[in-house]
């Protein structure tokens, strides 16, 4: 038997952290993006989350470079703020002890999945079959 955990909303809520990092990245590039600008793109993956806001404001953006900067901006914030939802880590450990195969599903890029898992005290790959998309 396999258990698949969704990252955001089940294990942790990283949306406020990702939003703050994306806003900081856009600000450094000259766009005053607001938190509500990102709402239509939540859960659509990193390319759409960042690229959608750039499109909305007709703001030229080198997406690969912006994502790298977004991840850089996320690191200091994440180190002090990301937390697991109550009972999430304990449930993962109980599933593992029961011999269940574990996986994570997320629309986030792998680097953010790994950062989230590490921050909440779980191994970067819960099990074979971790999936993005």
């Amino acid at each position: 038997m396999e258990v698949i955990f969704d990252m955001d909303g089940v294990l942790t809520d990283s949306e406020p952290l990702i939003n703050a990092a994306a806003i900081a990245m856009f600000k450094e590039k000259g766009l005053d993006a607001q938190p509500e600008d990102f709402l239509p793109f939540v859960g659509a993956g990193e390319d759409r989350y960042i690229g959608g806001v750039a499109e909305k404001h007709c703001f030229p953006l080198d997406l690969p470079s912006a994502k790298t900067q977004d991840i850089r901006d996320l690191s200091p914030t994440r180190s002090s703020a990301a937390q697991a939802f109550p009972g999430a880590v304990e449930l993962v450990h109980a599933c593992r002890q029961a011999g269940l195969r574990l996986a994570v599903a997320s629309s986030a890029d792998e680097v953010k999945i790994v950062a989230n898992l590490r921050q909440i005290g779980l191994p970067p790959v819960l099990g074979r079959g971790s999936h993005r998309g």
Side-chain angles (χ1 to χ4, degrees), residues 9-57:
V10 175
L11 296 176
T12 186
D13 181 11
S14 64
E15 184 59 35
L17 305 175
I18 292 167
N19 188 258
I23 287 172
M25 179 274 302
F26 274 117
K27 185 172 186 146
E28 189 173 310
K29 292 185 177 300
L31 177 65
D32 187 22
Q34 300 300 310
E36 58 272 12
D37 291 338
F38 296 87
L39 290 177
F41 312 110
V42 171
E46 304 304 316
D47 289 357
R48 193 71 193 128
Y49 189 77
I50 295 170
V53 172
E55 287 175 17
K56 175 183 176 176
H57 291 282

Side-chain angles (χ1 to χ4, degrees), residues 46-131:
E46 304 304 316
D47 289 357
R48 193 71 193 128
Y49 189 77
I50 295 170
V53 172
E55 287 175 17
K56 175 183 176 176
H57 291 282
C58 298
F59 189 79
L61 187 68
D62 173 12
L63 193 54
S65 170
K67 286 172 55 175
T68 300
Q69 183 175 350
D70 182 49
I71 291 165
R72 184 200 70 215
D73 289 344
L74 187 58
S75 298
T77 306
R78 178 169 309 287
S79 66
S80 61
Q83 295 183 15
F85 283 122
V89 172
E90 294 81 5
L91 178 59
V92 169
H93 289 306
C95 288
R96 179 171 278 139
Q97 285 181 329
L100 301 173
R101 289 177 26 161
L102 306 177
V104 140
S106 179
S107 62
D109 286 352
E110 184 176 359
V111 67
K112 289 188 179 180
I113 296 169
V114 169
N116 278 329
L117 291 173
R118 283 189 174 141
Q119 183 59 37
I120 64 173
L122 291 173
V125 177
L126 291 177
R128 292 185 306 170
S130 290
H131 175 69

